[in-house]
Structure formats: structure tokens, C-alpha cells
Amino acid sequence: MIDLRSDTVTKPTKGMLEAMMSADVGDDVYKEDPTAIKLENHIAEMFGMDEALYFPTGSMANQAAIKLHTQPGEQLICDKYAHVYHYEGGGVSFNSGVSCKLLDGDRGKITASQVEAAINPPDFYHSPLTTLVTLENTTNKGGGACYDLNTIKEIKEVCNKHGLGLHLDGARLWNALVATGQDPKEYGQLFDTISVCLSKGLGAPMGTVLCGKSSLMKNAMRVRKVLGGGMRQIGYMCAAGLYAVENHIDRLKEDHHKAQELKEVLQKMSFVKKVEPVETNIIIFEVKDQNEFMTFCKAKKMIISNMGEGKMRFVTHYDYDSLQHREVINNLIEFNSIS
Ligand SMILES: *Cc1c(COP(=O)(O)O)cnc(C)c1O
């Protein structure tokens, strides 16, 4: 099987498993797991943030961040494709009692003027009070697009002017950092809270770290506990995360390179109607006949995501190796000749 559905399908490498086996652990609910503390300090330091906390999933980390920033009845601003709105089970309203003002961004990215126009006037008590902006980088449903730092700086200025918090859903922030050469410390300067995922491109079996300012993070342990995320000997998992951060960030450029090659091949194919721009490891493309293409993929043992309306998605990752890559390219060329 060649699995191109997501960069979450990877399995731990030998080196990662060894790091897990030899991890020093303790009860993290008592904050006594040395490996969890080491990972949290490492991430906080990377982004120049005050504090960090390990979460089992990215959804829980984002949900906790939203809870830390808001009170029930308030409203956050995000793009219409945002993961916090679409793919976290309605947690924004369930956990925080908050509504989302959705903006019509460009491949999941929004601008400062869009944000400013979406803020409800605080003295107009008929509307929910706007208190938070959440951005996503890279964008997931937006096809792995990266923000440029200037856009984020402009959004931050609007947040400062109107007293809004700024959270980054950085599930694939590593991909953005590698693709753009941006400095993680710049992100720490601009955002109040940032979540970064260890189990997507980096290949750990689980885990997301939320880092942020101590004024917000001081309640993070409590919120994580409320969400059912108090965990015990998580050092085994944090060791995998640390190993991933230390060894698997630079190699993301290989995933990006393969994604570019797939894009170039797809652009030449007559069965493809359109290929979205590719900036990182996600390739979204539209085919003329999705049933025919899906059947072909299945026959060739390729698993891919069907996003509906003829849109297909490939995501490159650690376990998608060069041999598989060559096979996929050959399969695409073969399908083109028979379709
Ligand atoms: C994957 C992802 C998350 C977190 O997902 P979990 O499966 O809960 O870890 C959050 N935001 C974005 C943009 C993602 O792609």
C-alpha cells in the first residue's frame, strides 16, 4: 500500500523507538515526568515563549488555547477553512461556548483588513464580543499554504489595537518554517499561544505542544485536566516527540521536494483539470472523472483523500519513500495514457 492520505500515517523509526524505550519517566499529573518537562522546555525555548505544555492531540491543544483566551458568549475570528471550526467536532462551542466569525480567505489565509472589518464593536452589546483571532500555518484545507511574516505582523497590529488575543494553530508550522526559512522566535514574538504537532510530518506517534505567554499558560494545566488530558508516564511519548524535533525537521524539505515533483507531473496530465499551488507537502488537484481515478488508485494500491467535487489530495511524508514516489509517478503517467 502507498498511503498518501496524510502525514499522520507514519510509524516510529528505529531511532525514535530506542529513544522511547530509554526514556526517563514520572507521573506528569504531579508534573514529575522529566522527559515531558524537557520537551516542554525545549519547545518553549525554540519559540522564545514563557511556557509550554504537552497535549495528546492537536485538537485538545487548540481547544485549550481557545478556552484560555475566551469567555462563554464571545466570538473568535478565523478563516472559513480553519481546522478549529471544521475538524474539532464543534469543540469551540462545546468547550468554550464561543462562536466563530468565518472569513473568506485565500487558501486558508486571512488578512489584517479582513480581520479588522470582522471585529464587532465592543460597545454594541447586541453582538458577541470579539476577543480572539486564530490563524493556521500551514493551512490544512487550504492546501499547505504558508503565511508571510508581514501579513502576520499586520494582523498582530490589529489585535493589539483592539485588545484581541492571537493564537496560531501550528499543526504544520514545521513545514512552513522549513519552506520559508522563517525563525520560530519571530512566531513567539507575534502570537500569544502556538500549538505545534509532533505526530504529523515529524513522525511521532502522538502529541502536540502548546506554548505561550505565562499570563495565559498559568491556567493550561487546569484546562487540560478539565478536557480529560491529565496523563501519567507520558515521557515515553515525549521522548518520541523530542527525537522528532531534534531529527526530523530538516528532512521535511524532502517531503516538499516530492510534492513539487508530483505537482509538476500532475500539471502535464490531461485527466487533471487543475492543480492548486504547492508550497509544502500537500497537493490538492482536480480530476475530470473522480470515480475512474479513485478506482484506478485502488487497483494500484494507492490510498488517497477524496475531498469531494472532483478534488483529490496527496500528502507526502516520512514513510513515503523514493521507491513509492517513482511508482506513483509511473502510475499517474499510466492512468493518463488509458483515461
Ligand atoms: C491535524 C491538525 C490539527 C490537530 O489534529 P489532531 O488530530 O487533533 O492532532 C489541528 N490543526 C490543523 C491545521 C491540523 O492539520
Side-chain angles (χ1 to χ4, degrees), residues 2 17-18 41 106 116 121 153 167 178 234 254 296:
I2 301 178
L17 284 170
E18 279 163 9
N41 289 342
D106 169 29
E116 190 147 37
K153 283 181 187 157
H167 170 66
V178 166
I234 53 172
E254 294 168 32
F296 177 81

Side-chain angles (χ1 to χ4, degrees), residues 6-8 56-62 81-84 87-88 135-141 169-172 195 197 199-200 207-208 282 313:
S6 175
D7 44 7
T8 54
T57 68
S59 296
M60 195 191 281
N62 285 333
Y81 286 164
H83 194 280
V84 295
Y87 300 126
E88 298 183 7
L135 305 183
E136 199 170 297
N137 199 20
T138 70
T139 62
N140 176 337
K141 206 169 147 69
D169 175 355
R172 292 193 180 84
S195 61
C197 183
S199 63
K200 288 220 162 110
T208 282
I282 301 176
R313 187 180 84 166

Side-chain angles (χ1 to χ4, degrees), residues 226-248:
V226 170
L227 295 173
M231 298 162 286
R232 307 296 178 178
Q233 286 73 23
I234 53 172
Y236 296 113
M237 291 301 156
C238 293
L242 257 176
Y243 183 90
V245 170
E246 281 164 1
N247 297 283
H248 292 175

Side-chain angles (χ1 to χ4, degrees), residues 51-53 55 60-72 74 76 92 95-98 131-132 134 165-167 192-195 209-227:
E51 281 179 46
L53 189 65
F55 284 79
M60 195 191 281
N62 285 333
Q63 291 303 314
I66 291 164
K67 183 71 198 155
L68 292 171
H69 278 279
T70 60
Q71 291 300 320
E74 294 178 352
L76 67 79
V92 175
N95 299 313
S96 296
V98 163
T131 47
L132 175 65
T134 84
L166 186 57
H167 170 66
D192 301 307
T193 48
I194 299 175
S195 61
V209 177
L210 179 70
C211 61
K213 293 182 174 154
S214 52
S215 54
L216 289 157
M217 293 299 290
K218 66 179 197 296
N219 288 322
M221 282 278 279
R222 170 179 291 278
V223 171
R224 187 183 68 175
K225 182 76 186 175
V226 170
L227 295 173

Side-chain angles (χ1 to χ4, degrees), residues 2 24 34 39 85 87 120 149 168 250-251 255-256 279 292 321:
I2 301 178
D24 206 359
L39 171 66
Y85 172 71
Y87 300 126
N120 295 325
L149 224 41
L168 177 63
D250 282 347
R251 64 149 305 284
D255 299 345
H256 298 175
E279 295 179 42
E292 210 186 329
D321 62 25

